[in-house]
Amino acid sequence: MRIRVNTVVPGWVLTERQIALWLDADGERQLFESQCLKEKLYPPDVARMVLWLAAADSRMCTAQNFIVDAGWT
């Protein structure tokens, strides 16, 4: 049957609501201090990983956790 099971583990995804309610200058500073990649993580960044998992390019990937967090963990 070739059923593959993977998980996508996102970091702090900055949606419009996150930005409006919780992201301030101090939070942004802490974010960049904690992450390896000094960029904000947006919904399309996570969506690209999901699309890759749905594509034939990932056909031999299973039982994996794909972390999309700009190197926070």
Side-chain angles (χ1 to χ4, degrees), residues 28-53:
E28 188 171 330
R29 181 187 55 76
Q30 290 178 6
L31 179 72
F32 289 151
E33 286 176 359
S34 301
Q35 286 182 184
C36 295
L37 301 176
K38 310 303 182 195
E39 295 184 49
K40 296 174 184 169
L41 181 67
Y42 292 106
D45 298 314
V46 178
R48 287 183 190 97
M49 174 55 74
V50 173
L51 289 172
W52 179 76
L53 285 170

Side-chain angles (χ1 to χ4, degrees):
M1 292 212 33
R2 294 195 38 86
I3 296 173
R4 299 180 302 130
V5 179
N6 294 293
T7 60
V8 175
V9 184
W12 188 22
V13 179
L14 295 178
T15 63
E16 289 180 24
R17 181 179 174 150
Q18 296 281 20
I19 293 168
L21 298 178
W22 293 291
L23 184 64
D24 58 14
D26 187 51
E28 188 171 330
R29 181 187 55 76
Q30 290 178 6
L31 179 72
F32 289 151
E33 286 176 359
S34 301
Q35 286 182 184
C36 295
L37 301 176
K38 310 303 182 195
E39 295 184 49
K40 296 174 184 169
L41 181 67
Y42 292 106
D45 298 314
V46 178
R48 287 183 190 97
M49 174 55 74
V50 173
L51 289 172
W52 179 76
L53 285 170
D57 293 346
S58 67
R59 71 184 193 90
M60 297 303 287
C61 296
T62 193
Q64 301 300 312
N65 297 310
F66 292 93
I67 300 170
V68 182
D69 71 350
W72 189 331
T73 57

